[in-house]
Amino acid sequence: MQIANRQPESQTHRSQSWFIAGTALLLSLRQAFGAKGPHPCTETDYYYEYTECDSTGSRWRVAIPQSHGSCIGLPEPVRGTECTFSCEAGEFLEMSAQECTQCAAGTYSLGSGIRFDDWETIPTGFSSLATYLDNGPHGDDSTACNSSSWFPQGSYLESNRDECTVSLIYAVHLKKPGSVSFDYQYPDGNLFFVFFVQNDQCQEMDQTADKKWLKLTSHGEWAKHTVNLNSGTNILYWRTAGVLMGAKVVKPVLLKNVHIEGVAYASECFPCKPGTFSQTPGSSSCQPCPRDTHSGHGASSCTPCNTTTLYAPEGSAECKARPPCSKKDYFQIHTPCDLEGKTQVTYRWVEPQICLVGVPGAETLPPSGDREACPPCNPGFYNNDTATCSPCPPGTFSDGVKACESCPAGTEPAVGYQYKWWNVLPASMKTSCFNVGNSKCDGMNGWEVAGDHIRSGAGGSDNDYLILNLHVPGFKPPTSGTEFGRISFEFEMVCSADCELYFMMDVNRKSTRVVASWEGSKVRQSYTHIMTKNASMSYTWAFQRTNQASDVRQNVNNVARIYSISVSNAVDGVSSKCRACALLSQPSGSLCVPCPPGHYIHTHTSQCTECPPNTHLTSHSTLGPEACKPCGPSSKSNKEHSMCYSDCVFSYSENNVSLSFDYSSLGSVGTLMNGPSFTSKGTKYYHIFNISLCGGEGRRAVCTDNVTDLSSADSQKDTGEPANAVETLVCQSTIIPSSGQGFHTALSSQSISLADTFLGATVALTLDGVKARPDLFPQTTNKVPDVNFFYRSLEVTSSCDKGRNVVVTLRCNPDRSTQGELTVPSQCPAGTCDGCTFHFLWESLGACPQCTSTDYHQIEGACKGGLQDTLYVWTEPKRCVGGVSLPAMKIWPCESMDFLVKMGATIGAFTAALLFSITCYFWKKNKRLEFKYSKLVMSSNKECELPGADSCAVMEGEENEGEMEDEVVYSKKTSLIRKLKAIASRGNRRSYENVQLNSSQSNGLVWG
């Protein structure tokens, strides 16, 4: 209670409760051990700690026993320093006096910070957590990532190389705002690398994109990353995840020198790790021991090794025995040319020499070779009777053998570099050796000249980077189109391990990127890269025998050889030949002038002449119109004649049928995301394709990496373009969904150009060696032909020695929208079946031909009120778009159907009445004849004799009637038609006879 009474009244209730509980515990301990007589506490029985800071920023210093209840009489709590108090670097807080004290020799302190630079094991407080995301067909394999982790490699940590998501986690509590910084290497974009901070509620701290996503580094380059931290609990995450879409193994992320500022105080100094020392008190860091010395834990100086039999690399914790010399310990070189123009092959020990020569089993240096004549100078150089080659003066040229000569009139030197003889390293090149884990090869030559080639050097260990660099300050104006220059080199690789050769490029000393790489043994071959922008360039070749951690040199027979390197159009280059140039237009002019873009040099006049329309310029080195190549079918050239493009218009004619297409409604760029696909371990990913169907340079497709370009603001600011964006005609990016690797946003990476040249558009299946594959897509009964757009990439890759090709097939489909839909072959979901030619089908209403008058027909309406309508409708199914419009409905005068009906009815009624009248007339006349004849017969029977001749004769006017009576008598039972027929035949007779009739004849005729 006495301690509690001493507390100021301003203390919070929490502090009072703590001291009351502490006092009660102290009294109980005194009562419990008072009878046994425990010894009074000494400084070795306890240590000091600070309590948690209260709301006023105050804290108390309390003594904590080393062993509970071992002594009595602990010092009473006293007010501590302010919570934000900290010591300077090289000091620590001595808790007894609560004062800053200098660190002793052999130790160091960061003051208010902590540093982790010893990675023999993962330090206390760090943890490595691997997760396998269940998002693919292999998601049930929960043990797939058990072996994935961050691995300590002595001086650095190495990340995983697989597709597992691995997080390196460290939690730190800061008493004041601070920061964290670390060095890292991130050479491979196939591995995602992100750093973020969470608080104790697992809420991610606000970070700008350039602080979260780490920038790619060149091979062997360490970059530093710093992030500010808030006071309180900060949980640091270094997270990696690979995306393997082939057999290629990703390069790991390397991490070292983690430094955290903002801790309240350092209560003690840290001892120097083995291999380092701090000689003076108050050190903030430890220095590595020099070569052939060593040190132990907490050393203030380094101990020399017995160099007769022992050696030690820089920063060694112990000395090692010198082994007998072997063939791995020496290498051959070609000596520089002497004054007599001679050179010879000699052998030298790898420096520093650690092997022993005069011991059993040791190799000796082979004897030097015979002196031989030096190789000639490289083209563009000459030998003026000295041991060195000098560049030819400006305006002259040389093949390296002859003296320099001036270019003839009408020509100019074709400047550049052409290195094919390697007696000495050219002045524009340099070589070095670098290792991320040690300094054994520092100062060594990474490459050695060897007469007709330059080869990789011995190095200090197998995972050294052997560097060869060529600097080009810039290029002259383009020699053809947009080509400022090109670099070509011829090389080969002989490897028994997982060696790799990288070809890298640094633009304006801003960022280095890998242009191409080759793994394993490679036969002698050449590679060319074209420069389309004028800038200061640094080209680097880096050879590594293995990317596995190694501290020894074993695979010395694994070598890379470069036979020749040539760079065209370099501003500071030399000339090996002359080329034709354009002259001034004045008659007396003989001064060469550069031709404007799109102009060629006329053969006879040597004047600049513009290329014809719809042609593109291939090279100024070709004279005459042959330098201008025609664009492909249905394409035209831009104003500078540097490229050909489609203007979205296509025409086709066959069998007197002409079709016109206008693809401008499809939009400037088409986009397709196909998938999902899964890697071997089940990581889900998509491929997104952007296609620029038509248009010039202003309508190109762009694919951007949102992972590695976010921290490249400086490069983007300088160039005006995204640092990791690909702008071309057809490009591809790989998309990892936000849930795919434990990241909070979808990732876009691995953007590549599939095509940068438009070859043309045609209904044919082949164009310039590129073949369309209609069998890869569903067949159609559509009578409108498919139109194929052919593209090509001029950039050669390791798998496509002739570059990539793209075929986009446009198909008219009225059931699709105007924008339509892009698809890839079902049997080749990546868009390509061979890795080099990509096929796409674009079905769209906008791909249908323009409508013409043959695509509609007319329908005539009924005539009403003397007017008739004519309506025009599209022929179904409609397979056209745009073009002509349907004509408006037309109204024509016509004769009404009511009038015709009335006229027909009148004519029909009249005809019927006429027929009826005629029938009645003949029927009445027939009855009269029958009556007369019956009467005559009856009178003859009554008198039993025939009448006289005078009474039987036909009277005048009754000629026809007599004939009708005879006919009727003999045809009494016939029809009316037969009667009429008989009457007609009777009327044709010209003579008549009077027949004498008797009663017997009459009876026979009438009744018989």
Side-chain angles (χ1 to χ4, degrees), residues 255-425:
L255 181 69
K256 70 176 184 178
N257 294 339
V258 177
H259 186 131
I260 301 175
E261 283 285 345
V263 297
Y265 61 92
S267 60
E268 60 180 349
C269 295
F270 299 97
C272 293
K273 68 177 183 178
T276 64
F277 72 102
S278 64
Q279 191 172 10
T280 59
S283 297
S284 59
S285 62
C286 299
Q287 304 300 320
C289 288
R291 181 176 287 122
D292 291 332
T293 64
H294 71 284
S295 69
H297 191 75
S300 59
S301 62
C302 298
T303 303
C305 299
N306 181 4
T307 56
T308 304
T309 57
L310 300 175
Y311 80 100
E314 182 181 1
S316 296
E318 60 182 1
C319 298
K320 300 179 181 180
R322 292 183 177 273
C325 290
S326 65
K327 294 182 179 180
K328 301 176 183 178
D329 297 310
Y330 63 81
F331 61 96
Q332 76 171 33
I333 63 169
H334 283 67
T335 61
C337 290
D338 55 23
L339 296 177
E340 298 178 1
K342 301 290 185 178
T343 182
Q344 66 179 154
V345 175
T346 62
Y347 297 87
R348 292 181 180 177
W349 295 112
V350 174
E351 296 294 340
Q353 183 181 351
I354 63 173
C355 64
L356 296 176
V357 179
V359 295
E363 292 281 344
T364 58
L365 282 178
S368 299
D370 297 333
R371 297 176 70 242
E372 300 175 352
C374 289
C377 295
N378 281 310
F381 291 80
Y382 72 100
N383 190 326
N384 56 353
D385 297 330
T386 64
T388 60
C389 295
S390 303
C392 287
T396 62
F397 72 99
S398 171
D399 60 358
V401 178
K402 300 178 182 178
C404 299
E405 303 176 21
S406 298
C407 288
T411 64
E412 63 180 354
V415 297
Y417 311 133
Q418 191 173 355
Y419 302 132
K420 61 180 182 179
W421 299 109
W422 303 93
N423 184 251
V424 293
L425 194 66

Side-chain angles (χ1 to χ4, degrees), residues 463-508:
N463 65 339
D464 291 342
Y465 285 102
L466 306 176
I467 307 298
L468 180 65
N469 180 269
L470 169 64
H471 178 66
V472 181
F475 299 90
K476 298 182 69 176
T479 58
S480 61
T482 59
E483 179 183 327
F484 281 84
R486 61 176 61 194
I487 179 170
S488 302
F489 58 93
E490 190 176 359
F491 71 99
E492 72 173 350
M493 298 167 60
V494 179
C495 298
S496 59
D498 57 337
C499 64
E500 189 163 5
L501 175 66
Y502 304 92
F503 174 60
M504 298 177 286
M505 180 176 67
D506 183 358
V507 180
N508 291 328

Side-chain angles (χ1 to χ4, degrees), residues 783-909:
K783 294 183 179 179
V784 178
D786 293 342
V787 180
N788 299 311
F789 278 60
F790 293 88
Y791 301 84
R792 171 173 290 157
S793 173
L794 298 179
E795 185 173 352
V796 176
T797 65
S798 57
S799 57
C800 305
D801 55 356
K802 296 182 179 179
R804 297 186 180 97
N805 304 311
V806 176
V807 181
V808 181
T809 301
L810 298 181
R811 176 174 294 176
C812 171
N813 191 337
D815 298 330
R816 302 288 186 185
S817 63
T818 302
Q819 290 287 337
E821 181 181 3
L822 270 166
T823 57
V824 295
S826 57
Q827 58 266 51
C828 306
T832 176
C833 299
D834 58 4
C836 295
T837 302
F838 291 76
H839 300 272
F840 302 94
L841 176 64
W842 197 336
E843 294 184 280
S844 165
L845 173 62
C848 295
Q850 291 187 296
C851 296
T852 64
S853 58
T854 61
D855 294 309
Y856 62 81
H857 61 277
Q858 65 182 22
I859 299 177
E860 296 183 352
C863 185
K864 296 181 180 180
L867 298 176
Q868 184 180 23
D869 297 337
T870 301
L871 183 65
Y872 296 89
V873 296
W874 295 111
T875 302
E876 294 295 337
K878 182 184 176 183
R879 300 189 184 276
C880 65
V881 64
V884 301
S885 303
L886 282 176
M889 182 179 66
K890 297 181 179 180
I891 302 177
W892 306 87
C894 63
E895 295 182 352
S896 175
M897 291 296 295
D898 296 340
F899 172 78
L900 296 177
V901 171
K902 291 178 181 179
M903 179 178 292
T906 302
I907 295 174

Side-chain angles (χ1 to χ4, degrees), residues 170-189:
Y170 182 76
V172 61
H173 187 81
L174 301 185
K175 298 300 183 181
K176 60 181 180 180
S179 64
V180 57
S181 63
F182 54 88
D183 297 334
Y184 72 95
Q185 279 196 24
Y186 179 24
D188 195 341

Side-chain angles (χ1 to χ4, degrees), residues 548-565:
Q548 304 294 329
S550 175
D551 196 39
V552 297
R553 184 175 57 250
Q554 294 179 337
N555 301 302
V556 292
N557 292 326
N558 293 357
V559 296
R561 300 185 181 95
I562 296 179
Y563 291 92
S564 64
I565 299 176

